[in-house]
Amino acid sequence: MSTLPLTYRDYFTPQDLEGFSPQISRLVYGLEYVRANTLFAVQGLTTAQLDTQVLPGGNTTGMLLAHFAGTESGYQQLTFQGNEHGFERPENLLGAAGRAEFQGQSLEFYLSRLAEVREQTPAGLRERDDDWLAHTFRPWDWTFDISPHWCWFHVAEDELRHQGQIAILRKELERREQA
C-alpha cells in the first residue's frame, strides 16, 4: 500500500493508496502522474514565456495552466458538491477572454493555484468509494448521464491534451529565442 505524495517511480506500479478505495486509488495515480509531467513541462518558464501567444487566436502557456486549475476546481464542485456552476470562472475561458485575465503572472502564481486546487481533490476523493465513482447523474441540460469516474478521467485527459500544446509552445519559444 502506498501513501501520498507519490514518487515518480510509484506511477509505474499503481496500487492501493492508504485511505482510498481501489478504483479511486488508480484514478489518483493517474491524476498525479499527469500533473507531475505538467510541472516538468513548464519548469523554468519566465513570465514573458508564459504570456507569449505563439499562434494568432491561440492560448498561452499561462492561460493553459490557469485552465487546468479551473477545470479541476469545476469538477470538484460538480462531483463533490453537486454545483453545476463551478465552471463560470475566468480560468475556464480559453482564447482571448482567458488570455486577457491571465497576463503578467509568474510561474509561481500558476503553480501555487494548481497546488491549492489539487490539495482539495485527494481530500474529496478520500471521502468517497468505488460505488460513488460509478454512479451516474445528468448535469446541466445534457441528454445523457455521466459518472464521477468520467469527470475525473476528463480532468486528467484535458490536462494531458493541453500538455501537448505546452510542449509545442515551448519548442516554438525556444526556436524563436535561438533565431
Side-chain angles (χ1 to χ4, degrees):
M1 185 167 294
S2 293
T3 60
L4 292 176
L6 299 170
T7 67
Y8 197 77
R9 284 187 175 192
D10 290 333
Y11 301 128
F12 299 100
T13 55
Q15 54 188 290
D16 290 348
L17 286 168
E18 187 175 315
F20 295 90
S21 65
Q23 292 301 314
I24 291 178
S25 291
R26 300 322 183 267
L27 184 61
V28 170
Y29 268 88
L31 290 166
E32 292 295 309
Y33 178 70
V34 169
R35 181 56 52 82
N37 284 302
T38 294
L39 298 178
F40 180 76
V42 299
Q43 197 171 39
L45 289 177
T46 66
T47 300
Q49 290 170 319
L50 291 165
D51 287 348
T52 299
Q53 184 181 357
V54 171
L55 298 171
N59 295 306
T60 64
T61 299
M63 180 58 245
L64 292 171
L65 292 172
H67 178 67
F68 298 162
T71 298
E72 186 164 351
S73 176
Y75 279 105
Q76 287 170 351
Q77 291 180 49
L78 179 64
T79 62
F80 298 161
Q81 302 164 11
N83 177 5
E84 295 181 2
H85 303 287
F87 295 93
E88 298 168 1
R89 307 172 67 128
E91 296 103 288
N92 294 101
L93 302 172
L94 294 173
R99 281 192 314 274
E101 287 286 327
F102 294 96
Q103 289 288 311
Q105 300 294 340
S106 68
L107 181 59
E108 291 73 30
F109 168 84
Y110 295 109
L111 298 182
S112 176
R113 177 69 178 137
L114 287 166
E116 174 188 315
V117 171
R118 177 53 56 92
E119 186 176 301
Q120 297 169 36
T121 298
L125 291 172
R126 185 176 274 117
E127 296 174 7
R128 287 149 178 93
D129 61 18
D130 291 346
D131 289 337
W132 170 84
L133 195 62
H135 89 274
T136 60
F137 62 101
R138 187 168 297 179
W140 307 293
D141 59 353
W142 289 11
T143 59
F144 54 89
D145 291 342
I146 62 173
S147 71
H149 185 268
W150 177 86
C151 293
W152 287 102
F153 178 82
H154 179 64
V155 169
E157 175 266 338
D158 189 61
E159 185 168 332
L160 188 58
R161 181 170 42 93
H162 288 305
Q163 267 183 28
Q165 286 181 297
I166 289 172
I168 291 167
L169 293 172
R170 187 167 191 151
K171 281 184 182 181
E172 177 58 17
L173 290 170
E174 290 168 357
R175 186 194 68 75
R176 290 178 182 185
E177 290 169 2
Q178 292 174 356

